[in-house]
Amino acid sequence: MGNLLINEPPLQVLPSLAIALNSVDKAIILQQIHYWVDRSNNVRDGYRWVYNSISEWHKQFPWLAEKTVQRYLKDLEDRGLLITGNYNKAKFDRTKWYRIDYDALDNLDGSWGFTVPTKGTSSPVSKGPGVITNTNRLPETTTETTKENSAAVAAHSSIESDFEEIWSAYPNKKGKKQAFNHYKAWRKKSAKHSNDYLFSQLKLYKQYIAQNKDWYRPMDGSTWFNGRFDDEYQVSTEPKHEGREYWTGG
């Protein structure tokens, strides 16, 4: 199957929303926020809110730069489509909380038309965009997620952090996204597939690189993580002596 064909849950959006915002990316971001608001248990002042760090939002839109995601969120906020708040427990925590101003969205285009009830309150939320949603997406990373989503977040976070640990030690950091996909697939195949094994293989591979640095270039990360960590390399255990050795015997 082609790597660029859909084999994972897609992010979807109505073309009319992209036209109204004059941006496909901003439309996808707004749609994703609507998706999480619709499922949020974070009710404050009669509204449901979602919150994430910029880096966590970025994980949901990996084709965009992190600063671009931040700029698009700010643009949607400046246009009055996103309302921000701060309900963080710690005063120093500046993480923004978001909700959508559906009335402002109605003024962009009059074609949106379903009402979303507010969870935990008797008052309904204003009309929201009739956009296609996909329920099999990354859970919102907050401290108040549901138990089901919390387990999914923990599992994903654990694999991701394990990958980052081994990735930080790999010498040729090309093809990180593909490498992570290979890593996830390998980890899921067996409980015996662990970072301890990869680190032991990487240690041997680095020794091989060091002993052949005059002509050998480390393979891209996307290649090594695609099963090439199982390659066997001839690694000398003898110490390498530099320069001439002089016989000093009598």
Side-chain angles (χ1 to χ4, degrees), residues 76-109:
L76 292 170
E77 179 184 345
D78 291 342
R79 296 176 68 171
L81 299 174
L82 285 182
I83 306 298
T84 63
N86 187 336
Y87 299 96
N88 301 302
K89 295 179 180 180
K91 292 183 179 180
F92 60 82
D93 189 347
R94 299 295 182 181
T95 302
K96 285 186 176 181
W97 292 48
Y98 291 105
R99 68 175 177 86
I100 296 175
D101 187 335
Y102 293 109
D103 291 332
L105 188 59
D106 282 339
N107 291 331
L108 286 179
D109 190 297

Side-chain angles (χ1 to χ4, degrees), residues 206-218:
K206 282 186 171 182
Q207 289 177 359
Y208 177 82
I209 295 171
Q211 292 174 10
N212 299 278
K213 61 183 179 180
D214 292 339
W215 63 271
Y216 183 79
R217 178 179 177 276

Side-chain angles (χ1 to χ4, degrees), residues 53 150 156:
S53 65
S150 294
H156 177 80

